[in-house]
Amino acid sequence: MLNGEAYILRFLRYRVAYVTQGGVLSPYLFAVFIDSVVERVRASGIGCYVKSVCVSVILYADDILLIAPSVTALQQLLYVCEAELSWLAMAINVGKSACMRIGVRHNVKCMNISTVDGREIFWCDKIVINLGI
């Protein structure tokens, strides 16, 4: 974090694999595949650390939360995730994704985060919580 600010990108993915949604094995197979995204983010060295522990990526069900100390680092983390998700035949659902800034400068305008193919992920003004409920 820089000066108590954090930049967070939360996005939801959709499955492109041939596993039925709601199937008994779906969560286990998804966990096996998505683990490589976490490993790739950790290996990149980009993001936030607490006592030398990488906290740049947090997973909950099929949601990914990226935490970065700057907008530039957040953009780089997104590219790292996109590369790994692409290799896994998965993609980011930009329509269900949002960026959020925390800190003193949370309301200062900055550039939007964009995917490799140019789709923009916009900044939200308030906390967005969507746990699939």
Side-chain angles (χ1 to χ4, degrees), residues 82-101:
E82 273 192 292
E84 188 64 19
L85 288 170
S86 174
W87 190 81
L88 295 171
M90 295 182 183
I92 294 171
N93 186 342
V94 175
K96 292 185 176 182
S97 303
C99 297
M100 182 174 68
R101 293 174 72 181

Side-chain angles (χ1 to χ4, degrees), residues 5-13 37 41 46-48 55-60 62-83 85 91-102 110-116 119-124 126-130:
E5 294 192 30
Y7 299 85
I8 299 175
L9 171 64
R10 182 182 167 278
F11 59 85
L12 307 168
R13 295 157 327 286
V37 174
V41 168
I46 304 167
C48 293
V55 293
S56 300
V57 59
I58 298 173
L59 302 176
Y60 178 80
D62 63 347
D63 294 348
I64 296 178
L65 177 71
L66 297 176
I67 304 172
S70 69
V71 176
T72 304
L74 185 59
Q75 181 70 67
Q76 292 171 340
L77 279 177
L78 178 62
Y79 289 159
V80 169
C81 283
E82 273 192 292
L85 288 170
I92 294 171
N93 186 342
V94 175
K96 292 185 176 182
S97 303
C99 297
M100 182 174 68
R101 293 174 72 181
I102 299 172
C110 65
M111 67 177 208
N112 287 327
I113 302 297
S114 61
T115 60
V116 173
R119 297 174 297 148
E120 287 189 332
I121 300 174
F122 297 101
W123 295 95
C124 64
K126 45 187 151 176
I127 297 175
V128 177
I129 298 176
N130 179 353

